[in-house]
Coordinates of all heavy atoms in Angstrom, one line a residue:
I35 N -83.5 -38.9 27.9 CA -82.9 -40.1 28.4 C -82.2 -40.7 27.2 O -82.6 -40.7 26.1 CB -84.0 -41.2 28.9 CG1 -84.7 -40.6 30.1 CG2 -83.4 -42.5 29.2 CD1 -86.0 -41.4 30.4
E36 N -81.0 -41.2 27.5 CA -80.1 -42.0 26.5 C -80.4 -43.5 26.7 O -80.2 -44.0 27.7 CB -78.6 -41.7 26.7 CG -77.8 -42.4 25.7 CD -76.3 -42.1 25.8 OE1 -76.0 -41.1 26.6 OE2 -75.5 -42.7 25.2
G37 N -81.0 -44.1 25.6 CA -81.4 -45.5 25.8 C -82.2 -45.9 24.6 O -82.6 -45.1 23.8
P38 N -82.5 -47.2 24.5 CA -83.3 -47.7 23.4 C -84.8 -47.2 23.5 O -85.5 -47.4 24.5 CB -83.4 -49.2 23.6 CG -82.9 -49.4 25.1 CD -82.1 -48.3 25.4
R39 N -85.2 -46.5 22.5 CA -86.5 -45.7 22.5 C -87.7 -46.7 22.9 O -88.5 -46.2 23.9 CB -86.7 -45.1 21.1 CG -88.1 -44.4 21.0 CD -88.1 -43.8 19.5 NE -89.3 -43.0 19.3 CZ -90.5 -43.6 18.9 NH1 -90.6 -44.9 18.6 NH2 -91.5 -42.8 18.6
G40 N -87.9 -47.8 22.3 CA -89.0 -48.6 22.5 C -89.1 -49.1 24.0 O -90.1 -49.1 24.6
E41 N -87.9 -49.5 24.5 CA -87.8 -50.0 25.9 C -88.1 -48.9 26.9 O -88.8 -49.1 27.8 CB -86.5 -50.6 26.1 CG -86.2 -52.0 25.4 CD -84.8 -52.5 25.7 OE1 -84.4 -52.3 26.9 OE2 -84.2 -53.1 24.8
V42 N -87.6 -47.7 26.6 CA -87.7 -46.6 27.5 C -89.2 -46.3 27.5 O -89.9 -46.0 28.6 CB -86.9 -45.4 27.1 CG1 -87.2 -44.2 27.9 CG2 -85.4 -45.7 27.2
V43 N -89.9 -46.1 26.4 CA -91.3 -45.8 26.3 C -92.2 -46.8 27.1 O -93.0 -46.4 27.9 CB -91.8 -45.7 24.8 CG1 -93.4 -45.6 24.8 CG2 -91.2 -44.5 24.1
T44 N -91.9 -48.0 26.9 CA -92.6 -49.0 27.6 C -92.5 -49.0 29.1 O -93.5 -49.1 29.8 CB -92.2 -50.5 27.1 OG1 -92.5 -50.6 25.7 CG2 -93.0 -51.6 27.9
A45 N -91.2 -48.8 29.5 CA -90.9 -48.6 31.0 C -91.6 -47.5 31.6 O -92.1 -47.5 32.7 CB -89.4 -48.7 31.2
L46 N -91.6 -46.4 30.8 CA -92.2 -45.1 31.4 C -93.7 -45.2 31.4 O -94.3 -44.9 32.5 CB -91.8 -44.0 30.5 CG -90.4 -43.4 30.5 CD1 -90.1 -42.4 29.4 CD2 -90.0 -42.9 31.8
R47 N -94.3 -45.9 30.5 CA -95.8 -46.2 30.6 C -96.2 -47.0 31.7 O -97.3 -46.9 32.2 CB -96.2 -46.8 29.2 CG -96.4 -45.8 28.1 CD -96.7 -46.6 26.8 NE -97.0 -45.6 25.7 CZ -97.1 -46.0 24.4 NH1 -96.9 -47.3 24.1 NH2 -97.4 -45.2 23.5
N48 N -95.3 -47.9 32.1 CA -95.6 -48.9 33.2 C -95.4 -48.3 34.5 O -95.7 -49.1 35.5 CB -94.8 -50.2 33.0 CG -95.2 -51.0 31.8 OD1 -96.4 -50.9 31.4 ND2 -94.4 -51.8 31.2
L49 N -94.9 -47.2 34.6 CA -94.7 -46.5 36.0 C -96.0 -46.2 36.7 O -97.0 -45.8 35.9 CB -93.8 -45.3 35.9 CG -92.3 -45.4 35.6 CD1 -91.7 -44.1 35.4 CD2 -91.6 -46.1 36.8
S50 N -96.1 -46.3 37.9 CA -97.3 -46.0 38.7 C -97.5 -44.6 38.6 O -96.7 -43.7 38.8 CB -97.1 -46.4 40.1 OG -98.2 -46.0 40.9
G51 N -98.8 -44.2 38.2 CA -99.1 -42.8 38.0 C -98.9 -42.2 36.6 O -99.2 -41.0 36.4
A52 N -98.3 -43.0 35.7 CA -98.0 -42.4 34.5 C -99.2 -42.5 33.5 O -100.0 -43.6 33.6 CB -96.8 -43.1 33.9
G53 N -99.3 -41.5 32.6 CA -100.5 -41.6 31.7 C -99.8 -41.7 30.3 O -98.9 -42.5 30.1
K54 N -100.1 -40.8 29.4 CA -99.5 -40.9 28.0 C -98.2 -40.5 28.0 O -97.8 -39.6 28.7 CB -100.4 -39.9 27.1 CG -100.2 -40.1 25.7 CD -101.2 -39.2 24.8 CE -100.8 -39.4 23.3 NZ -101.7 -38.6 22.5
V55 N -97.4 -41.1 27.1 CA -95.9 -40.8 27.0 C -95.7 -40.3 25.6 O -96.1 -41.0 24.6 CB -95.1 -42.0 27.3 CG1 -93.6 -41.7 26.9 CG2 -95.3 -42.6 28.7
K56 N -95.2 -39.1 25.5 CA -94.8 -38.5 24.1 C -93.3 -38.4 24.0 O -92.6 -38.2 24.9 CB -95.4 -37.1 24.0 CG -96.9 -37.2 24.2 CD -97.5 -35.7 24.2 CE -99.1 -35.7 24.4 NZ -99.6 -34.4 24.3
C57 N -92.9 -38.6 22.8 CA -91.5 -38.7 22.5 C -91.0 -37.9 21.2 O -91.8 -37.9 20.3 CB -91.1 -40.2 22.3 SG -89.4 -40.6 21.8
R58 N -89.8 -37.3 21.3 CA -89.3 -36.7 20.1 C -87.8 -37.0 20.1 O -87.1 -36.9 21.2 CB -89.7 -35.2 20.0 CG -89.0 -34.3 20.8 CD -89.5 -32.9 20.7 NE -88.9 -31.9 21.5 CZ -87.9 -31.3 21.2 NH1 -87.2 -31.5 20.0 NH2 -87.4 -30.3 22.0
Q59 N -87.2 -37.1 19.0 CA -85.8 -37.4 18.8 C -85.0 -36.1 19.0 O -85.5 -35.0 18.6 CB -85.4 -38.0 17.5 CG -84.0 -38.5 17.4 CD -83.8 -39.4 16.1 OE1 -84.6 -39.4 15.3 NE2 -82.7 -40.1 16.2
T60 N -83.8 -36.1 19.6 CA -82.9 -35.0 19.8 C -81.8 -35.1 18.6 O -81.8 -36.0 17.8 CB -82.3 -34.9 21.1 OG1 -81.4 -36.0 21.2 CG2 -83.4 -34.9 22.2
E61 N -81.0 -34.1 18.7 CA -79.8 -34.1 17.7 C -78.8 -35.2 18.1 O -77.9 -35.6 17.2 CB -79.2 -32.8 17.7 CG -80.1 -31.7 17.1 CD -79.5 -30.4 17.1 OE1 -78.4 -30.2 17.7 OE2 -80.1 -29.3 16.6

């Protein structure tokens, strides 16, 4: 996903059915 990391992580965590969210930067 292209977007602000912190906001994206928070939004993904708040989705129904979502558990842990892991993230790594791309090039």
Side-chain angles (χ1 to χ4, degrees):
I35 299 172
E36 182 178 350
R39 178 179 181 271
E41 292 180 33
V42 174
V43 168
T44 300
L46 290 173
R47 280 177 173 166
N48 289 334
L49 285 174
S50 174
K54 190 174 183 180
V55 176
K56 302 176 182 180
C57 171
R58 70 182 182 91
Q59 191 168 13
T60 69
E61 295 177 355

